Amino acid sequence: PRLLIPVESAMGETRVAASPDTVKKFLSLGSKVAIERGAGLAAGFVDGDFNTIGAELVAPGDSQAWSEADVVLCVQSPSASALARMRSGALVVGLLAPYANSSLAASLKTAKLSAMALELLPRISRAQSADALSSQANIAGYKAVLLAAAALDRYFPMLMTAAGTVQPARVVVLGAGVAGLQAVATAKRLGAVVYVSDVRSAVKEQVESLGARFIEPPEIDQRPDESGGYAKQASEAFLTAQREQLSNQLAQADVVICTAQVPGRKAPRLISDLMLDRMRPGAVVVDLAVEQGGNCANTRPGETVDRNGVKLIGASDLPCSVPNHASALYSRNLVALLEPVLKDGQLSLNIEDELIAGCLISHNGVIRHDDVLNTGG
Ligand code: NAD
C-alpha cells in the first residue's frame, strides 16, 4: 500500500505523523511512503532525513499523491477539501476529533473513506503501544508542571540556604489519569509537596506510590466511578461536594494542575470563582481541560489570565510545544496500530477485531460510530 504523510494543516500544529524511524519501519513492511515537503520541519525532521531512507518527497497538496494514497497518516484531521481528494476506499488515521463531528462524518461519507480515530482506541493492554492519547497526555502533564514552575513566584523544592530555609511549593493535581500522573511525577522531581484528587478509587495506590497524597473523593451516593478505565460524568451534587472539599486545599496551594476529564463530555468544573478568591496572589493554575470547557472558571485556551494576582494558564496544545518527542512517540503509536493490518504488503482491516472496531469510525464511507460523531455521546 501507498502511505502519505501530509503537512499538518491545523493552526498551531507542529507535530507530524511520521519520523524517519517509523518511515523506515513502514518501508520494511513493504509499504511505499510519500511525504509532503516540509511536513516534519516544525518537529525537527528535515526532508533529507526522509528522502535518504527511501520516502518519496511530494509537494504539499499534490493531487496525484492524495488520490493515489491508500492510507493517509495524520496528527489532526485533514481539511474537508483534502479528504475529498482521496480515492474511495482509502483510509485516514489520526486524532480526528470525532466527538460530535458531523462535518467529518459528512466528508468521510461523501468520499467513501475509511477512518480510524485514535481517540476511540479501547483502553485494553493489547492497544497500549498504539495509545496516542496516552503518549500525548504524558507530554502535556510534564509540560504543564514546567509552565507552572516558570510562572510561579517561588521555588518548587525546599531549600536550605545561608539566607535561611524556604518551604517546598504545594501543588494540587486534579485528575490522576495519564497527564495527571505525569504531572505528579514531574512536580515531585522538582521537589514539590503534591496532593491529588480523582474520583476513581483505583488511582489512590498509583498516586501514593509516586510519593503524593491522595484526597479521598467526597462520600456521597452519586459518586461517579468508572467504565472502561474512564471516569463517568459526575452529578452536580457530587461536584458541589467536591468543590467544597477542594476549597481549603486550594487556599493553601501554590500551583494547581487541572487534568480532570470525562471523554466526549464537558470537563467537570472543579474550581469556582469563590475558590479562586481564596487563593493567594502569585499562585498559578494550569488548566489542561480548557478546550473541554475547563476545570477552572475563567481559563481561556492559549491565554494566561491574571485574576487578582492568580495566574490562570489555559494550556490547550502542550504536546505541540514538545513537537519532536510528541511526533516520535505518536508515530510509533501509528506503527503499533498499523503493523498488524499491513500484512504481506497488503492492507487488510479485520473489522471484527476489538481494537479496529473500537476506533474505526467509517468503513468505506459507512459511518460506524454514529452516536459519537453525530451527538457527541
Ligand atoms: P482522562 O483524560 O479521560 O481523565 C483524566 C482523569 O480525570 C481521570 O483519571 C479521571 O478519573 C479524572 N476525573 C474525571 N472526573 C473527575 C472529577 N470530577 N474529579 C477528579 N478527577 C476526575 O483519563 P486518561 O488519562 O485518558 O486515562 C483514563 C484511564 O485509562 C486511566 O485509568 C488510565 O490509567 C487508563 N489507561 C489505560 C490504558 C490501557 O490499559 N491500555 C492506557 C492508558 C490509560
Side-chain angles (χ1 to χ4, degrees):
R2 296 180 69 93
L3 312 188
L4 173 67
I5 291 99
V7 173
E8 290 292 317
S9 57
M11 273 271 278
E13 184 53 76
T14 54
R15 294 167 292 176
V16 60
S19 67
D21 282 348
T22 65
V23 167
K24 210 185 271 177
K25 180 74 187 171
F26 282 124
L27 291 169
S28 77
L29 291 170
S31 300
K32 292 200 169 104
V33 180
I35 181 162
E36 290 186 347
R37 282 180 207 283
L41 205 55
F45 304 126
V46 296
D47 289 345
D49 295 343
F50 292 106
N51 198 216
T52 49
I53 55 174
E56 181 193 353
L57 294 173
V58 297
D62 183 282
S63 303
Q64 193 180 349
W66 279 82
S67 63
E68 284 178 0
D70 299 301
V71 185
V72 170
L73 300 179
C74 52
V75 181
Q76 296 190 51
S77 175
S79 65
S81 59
L83 292 174
R85 271 182 252 139
M86 291 174 69
R87 66 160 183 80
S88 75
L91 172 69
V92 52
V93 185
L95 288 164
L96 302 178
Y99 294 110
N101 197 341
S102 47
S103 60
L104 173 67
S107 290
L108 297 173
K109 242 190 238 176
T110 310
K112 299 193 169 58
L113 299 176
S114 294
M116 291 162 108
L118 285 156
E119 291 91 337
L120 300 180
L121 202 69
R123 250 67 200 274
I124 52 177
S125 25
R126 186 161 60 88
Q128 239 163 353
S129 52
D131 188 345
L133 283 187
S134 289
S135 68
Q136 305 304 296
N138 228 317
I139 291 179
Y142 159 81
K143 194 66 188 270
V145 171
L146 299 191
L147 285 185
L152 186 65
D153 59 356
R154 307 179 61 157
Y155 274 122
F156 259 44
M158 184 187 88
L159 285 181
M160 285 184 267
T161 78
T165 299
V166 296
Q167 292 307 311
R170 206 171 155 121
V171 174
V172 177
V173 176
L174 304 179
V178 180
L181 289 174
Q182 185 55 255
V184 173
T186 306
K188 286 297 295 180
R189 275 181 217 124
L190 287 175
V193 173
V194 184
Y195 292 79
V196 182
S197 164
D198 199 301
V199 289
R200 292 181 300 117
S201 36
V203 300
K204 180 176 192 230
E205 211 180 290
Q206 290 167 300
V207 163
E208 287 175 348
S209 73
L210 289 170
R213 293 167 215 186
F214 188 63
I215 307 168
E216 293 288 348
E219 286 294 334
I220 70 165
D221 291 346
Q222 302 97 321
R223 177 173 166 172
D225 215 318
E226 56 184 275
S227 70
Y230 288 116
K232 289 199 196 127
Q233 199 167 28
S235 66
E236 254 325 297
F238 180 89
L239 287 176
T240 304
Q242 199 184 3
R243 281 192 291 266
E244 239 163 62
Q245 176 199 42
L246 289 173
S247 189
N248 287 333
Q249 286 284 352
L250 264 51
Q252 300 170 58
D254 297 301
V255 167
V256 186
I257 308 284
C258 303
T259 77
Q261 303 219 29
V262 179
R265 306 274 178 189
K266 218 164 161 297
R269 176 54 57 86
L270 301 175
I271 308 179
S272 64
D273 274 306
L274 285 175
M275 291 160 80
L276 288 173
D277 287 343
R278 294 185 61 199
M279 290 184 72
R280 72 162 183 85
V284 179
V285 178
V286 180
D287 193 351
L288 293 184
V290 65
E291 291 278 6
Q292 286 71 38
N295 290 152
C296 177
N298 306 309
T299 51
R300 287 203 279 275
E303 287 184 34
T304 297
V305 176
D306 187 312
R307 187 187 181 282
N308 302 327
V310 179
K311 293 193 185 100
L312 308 178
I313 302 178
S316 48
D317 53 1
L318 294 184
C320 289
S321 71
V322 191
N324 184 268
H325 270 165
S327 303
L329 296 168
Y330 178 76
S331 305
R332 284 189 218 157
N333 293 143
L334 293 182
V335 169
L337 179 70
L338 293 176
E339 192 173 359
V341 176
L342 293 169
K343 281 218 181 87
D344 313 320
Q346 295 293 318
L347 175 76
S348 67
L349 286 180
N350 174 8
I351 61 172
E352 305 294 317
D353 182 291
E354 182 185 5
L355 207 151
I356 307 286
C359 66
L360 191 70
I361 55 172
S362 172
H363 191 219
N364 299 328
V366 178
I367 301 301
R368 291 166 45 87
H369 290 281
D370 215 30
D371 53 332
V372 174
L373 277 113
N374 286 318
T375 70

